[in-house]
Amino acid sequence: ATQTFNNGDTISGGDGNDLPRVTATSAAATTVLPTMTGVEGIEATVSGAGSFTVNMVNSTGATRFISQGSTNSLIVDNQSTIADITVQNNTTAASGMVMKYTAATVAGTTDVQAIALSNNGAQFTAAGTVNVAGVETFNVTSTGINNLTALLGDKLETVTVDGSGSFKSNTAFGATLKSYDASASSGAQSVIFG
């Protein structure tokens, strides 16, 4: 049966890998504040006219977040541990994921974010922005064609890319970037330094 996902909902995961799948179709930007324990992650398809924010301030245990087939942005706010990001089959420039960790989570200078990209956009059409605040290193794994609007991080110093897929970012990396290494990737690369 189809269930709803609303403010104040309490979800307690059991053994195994609990991954609620959410479809957000709101006409305006929407924020949900659940209480979750033992839930390993969330997979969201954001297909409405507005972005969809999951505020994790009352939740613990999540280790991954997935934007699947979205046309608008999934925003994760107040996440208290660094969690893997997957962005796949996103189709518009407004899609993608924004990750906002708590200040304590990214207080160090060697934080590492794993980002899996799979089939976002097309050869001549960009789709999606991945924006992670407070993290110094992005480890990107690319599968299929990935033509992003942007890969962003306000503290980003190092990007490594592996996998068989292509990777393109249409927005220049910021001035904080010191290293870009795609030696472990067999896919085409197209990025802008600046």
Side-chain angles (χ1 to χ4, degrees), residues 24-26 44-51 67-74 88-96 127-128:
T25 58
S26 298
T45 299
V46 186
S47 57
S51 60
S67 174
Q68 160 62 37
S70 294
T71 57
N72 217 309
S73 185
L74 170 63
Q88 57 193 25
N89 303 313
N90 283 207
T91 58
T92 69
S95 62

Side-chain angles (χ1 to χ4, degrees), residues 45-56:
T45 299
V46 186
S47 57
S51 60
F52 179 67
T53 298
V54 181
N55 190 334
M56 298 293 290

Side-chain angles (χ1 to χ4, degrees), residues 24-187:
T25 58
S26 298
T30 301
T31 298
V32 172
L33 177 60
T35 297
M36 299 187 294
T37 56
V39 175
E40 282 73 25
I42 292 176
E43 178 181 310
T45 299
V46 186
S47 57
S51 60
F52 179 67
T53 298
V54 181
N55 190 334
M56 298 293 290
V57 69
N58 293 333
S59 299
T60 59
T63 59
R64 62 179 176 140
F65 293 89
I66 301 169
S67 174
Q68 160 62 37
S70 294
T71 57
N72 217 309
S73 185
L74 170 63
I75 302 171
V76 180
D77 198 9
N78 288 310
Q79 171 65 11
S80 62
T81 57
I82 292 180
D84 294 348
I85 289 173
T86 298
V87 177
Q88 57 193 25
N89 303 313
N90 283 207
T91 58
T92 69
S95 62
M97 190 180 303
V98 177
M99 179 65 77
K100 300 178 181 180
Y101 292 110
T102 63
T105 301
V106 290
T109 59
T110 57
D111 302 304
V112 179
Q113 176 68 66
I115 301 171
L117 302 174
S118 179
N119 297 311
N120 296 285
Q123 184 176 2
F124 301 110
T125 304
T129 293
V130 178
N131 190 343
V132 183
V135 173
E136 290 77 24
T137 298
F138 291 175
N139 289 341
V140 178
T141 299
S142 179
T143 304
I145 293 174
N146 291 284
N147 184 356
L148 296 186
T149 302
L151 180 69
L152 302 173
D154 61 340
K155 299 292 182 65
L156 183 60
E157 297 179 354
T158 302
V159 176
T160 64
V161 182
D162 61 25
S164 59
S166 63
F167 174 69
K168 181 178 183 179
S169 179
N170 290 275
T171 302
F173 291 112
T176 60
L177 189 73
K178 299 176 181 178
S179 173
Y180 182 92
D181 182 1
S183 60
S185 171
S186 58

